[in-house]
Amino acid sequence: PFDAKLQNYTRSLFEDRNIDVRLETSVTGIEDYEGDGFRFPARRATFSDGSNLPFGTLVWSAGLSPVNFTQKLDNLLPKAPNGRIL
């Protein structure tokens, strides 16, 4: 819960830099696919609303508790006692 002016400023700054911000949407998967003009397999994220987003770098910020996708990574990534990925 940040101040509304700060929220609006930040969103405007991100939009000016063509940064895709999605609220109330979770990442449900990451997959490799064959993209035109790519030397290596491309990657895209799948979201809970059914949309996809091809990406080179994905910054993913989540809420206060782990979601199903991160819970499935239990044996793949080190986690703190509170469930956060280290």
Side-chain angles (χ1 to χ4, degrees):
F2 293 98
D3 178 73
K5 287 182 183 180
L6 180 58
Q7 291 178 29
N8 293 334
Y9 168 78
T10 303
R11 174 167 275 182
S12 175
L13 185 69
F14 286 170
E15 288 174 354
D16 290 345
R17 295 179 181 183
N18 293 319
I19 297 173
D20 186 347
V21 176
R22 298 180 187 217
L23 305 175
E24 304 297 324
T25 305
S26 60
V27 176
T28 58
I30 303 291
E31 63 182 356
D32 290 339
Y33 73 101
E34 296 298 322
D36 292 336
F38 290 102
R39 183 174 171 189
F40 300 103
R43 291 208 168 136
R44 67 179 155 217
T46 304
F47 297 99
S48 57
D49 64 2
S51 63
N52 292 307
L53 176 68
F55 67 90
T57 301
L58 176 69
V59 177
W60 174 12
S61 177
L64 300 175
S65 64
V67 294
N68 292 338
F69 178 71
T70 57
Q71 289 173 339
K72 292 177 185 175
L73 300 175
D74 279 343
N75 298 326
L76 301 175
L77 299 172
K79 290 188 178 182
N82 64 2
R84 292 185 180 175
I85 298 171
L86 300 175

